[in-house]
Amino acid sequence: MNATLAETTEHAFRTLGGLRFSKGHGTGNDFVLVADPEGGHTIAPEQVAALCDRHRGIGGDGLIRAVPSRFLPEGRELLAAAPDAEWFMDYRNGDGSLSEMCGNGVRVFVHFLRAEGLVDLPDGGALTIGTRAGIKTVVRTGDDYAVDMGPWEFIFPGEATAKAMDSLVTADGLEVPRPALSVSMGNPHTVVALAELSELAGTRLYSAPVVDPVPANGTNVEFVVPAEPLVHEGVGSITMRVHERGVGETQSCGTGACAAAVAIRHWAGAEAPDTWRVHVPGGVVGVKFFAGPGGQEHVELSGPAAIVASGTLS
C-alpha cells in the first residue's frame, strides 16, 4: 500500500532530525536554507518537498544548500575557470526537482552566507559563487544585493527575430491563447504581455499554463503588463505575475523579472531603456542591461534579501 503524504513527510523529517536550517526570502520568493560547509548533507527530492511543504513542513518555494564548490562535480568544473567561486548554490524547486538558477535565491543565498559567518562581504564588496547556470557575481549594496545574471538569449531566436513571438500560452482566466516570447536566463522563461492590470489579476495560476511549443526542459511563465507610460525619467516599468515550473505561482521570480524586461524591451523597440523596475506581488526588483565581456549583453538583477527565522529539525 502506498504511503500517504503525511506519512511520507513524517518519514522525511525523521531522517533529517538535527538538521539546522534558516528561512529567507527575496521580495516574497521564499526558501529553506541549509549550510553544508563539509559537504556531508544529502537531501533527497522527497525530503526537499517535505521541507518546502507549506502545511506539514517549513514552507518555501525552494531549498538552497550552501556547499563548497569542490564537493560537487558541477562546482569543481567551475572552479577550474573561477578559483574564487568557493561556494556553490545547490538549488532545488519546492517539488524537489533541480533548477539551474534562481535570481532571488542568489541574493538570499549570499545574505545567508553572511548571516552564518561563512563569508565577509563589506558594503560595496563582490562575491563570486557557483550555480548550475555558471558563475555569478554578487555585489552588496547596503541592505540590497545586485547580481550579474550573465547573458540572456532567445530560446527560439529565429521566430523571436522574425515574428517577435515564438509560442502560444493558454491560461485559466484568459479567453484565448496569447502570443509569447521565450527567453533563457540560464533557465527557461515564456513571457506573455497583457493589456490591463485587471486582466493580470483575473489570470488564474493555480495550475500550470499550457505553452506550445514548450522549451525542452519546461518553462516558467510570466504574465506582464507594461506601465502607462512605459518609461518615466529613463526607467521602464512593468508589473508581473509568474507561474514557476515545479512550484506554482510565487510572489516573485528574479530570473523571470529579467526575462520579462528582455521581452518587453524587445517589443518596445530600439528606443526602449536599459533600466527597468519590475513590480511583483512581493515587492519591486531592478533590472539593468549592460555590455558584458566580449561585447555580449548581460543583465543585472537588484533587490533585497532577508533571513526571517532559523532553527533545528527535531
Side-chain angles (χ1 to χ4, degrees):
M1 185 166 118
N2 292 333
T4 66
L5 177 60
E7 290 169 337
T8 300
T9 303
E10 182 182 352
H11 174 74
F13 269 86
R14 196 163 54 243
T15 56
L16 290 172
L19 182 71
R20 290 184 61 248
F21 70 91
S22 291
K23 176 73 180 286
H25 76 91
T27 53
N29 197 185
D30 61 338
F31 312 95
V32 179
L33 299 118
V34 176
D36 189 10
E38 302 303 322
H41 292 307
T42 300
I43 305 177
E46 61 273 14
Q47 293 173 317
V48 173
L51 289 168
C52 293
D53 189 296
R54 295 194 180 279
H55 301 286
R56 297 178 173 87
I58 298 165
D61 293 326
L63 180 140
I64 300 173
R65 181 174 66 122
V67 60
S69 296
R70 67 182 184 275
F71 290 123
L72 292 174
E74 308 98 307
R76 289 192 292 272
E77 184 176 339
L78 294 173
L79 283 171
D84 54 344
E86 177 186 358
W87 289 97
F88 191 94
M89 185 181 82
D90 182 15
Y91 179 64
R92 284 164 170 75
N93 294 315
D95 66 353
S97 60
L98 284 176
S99 181
E100 304 90 342
M101 186 57 197
C102 178
N104 291 319
V106 172
R107 300 197 313 276
V108 177
F109 173 74
V110 173
H111 192 60
F112 174 65
L113 291 176
R114 287 185 57 223
E116 291 290 300
L118 296 170
V119 300
D120 180 20
L121 186 63
D123 191 7
L127 184 69
T128 302
I129 63 169
T131 78
R132 289 188 173 85
I135 295 296
K136 304 299 175 190
T137 301
V138 183
V139 176
R140 180 184 167 198
T141 56
D143 294 331
D144 290 1
Y145 298 87
V147 189
D148 179 356
M149 302 293 290
W152 63 271
E153 60 183 357
F154 290 125
I155 295 175
F156 305 112
E159 293 87 341
T161 302
K163 302 185 294 183
M165 59 86 67
D166 53 39
S167 54
L168 290 174
V169 173
T170 303
D172 192 13
L174 296 177
E175 293 183 357
V176 296
R178 300 303 177 91
L181 197 56
S182 302
V183 177
S184 174
M185 287 301 311
N187 60 351
H189 296 270
T190 301
V191 182
V192 179
L194 301 178
E196 304 287 344
L197 290 173
S198 58
E199 192 175 35
L200 181 66
T203 304
R204 295 184 285 274
L205 299 181
Y206 310 119
S207 57
V210 177
V211 180
D212 182 26
V214 64
N217 296 316
T219 189
N220 306 286
V221 184
E222 287 78 28
F223 297 88
V224 185
V225 177
E228 183 56 50
L230 176 63
V231 181
H232 178 66
E233 297 183 347
V235 179
S237 184
I238 58 178
T239 300
M240 181 188 92
R241 289 175 63 198
V242 57
H243 186 285
E244 293 195 51
R245 58 177 180 162
V247 185
E249 183 174 11
T250 59
Q251 291 287 296
S252 180
C253 177
T255 52
C258 295
V262 167
I264 296 297
R265 188 179 69 148
H266 182 69
W267 286 324
E271 299 304 312
D274 290 332
T275 302
W276 293 80
R277 187 173 293 111
V278 183
H279 299 259
V280 294
V284 181
V285 295
V287 174
K288 184 169 68 175
F289 298 89
F290 65 98
Q296 197 170 20
E297 189 172 64
H298 281 221
V299 186
E300 179 190 89
L301 173 72
S302 59
I307 301 297
V308 298
S310 296
T312 303
L313 296 179
S314 59

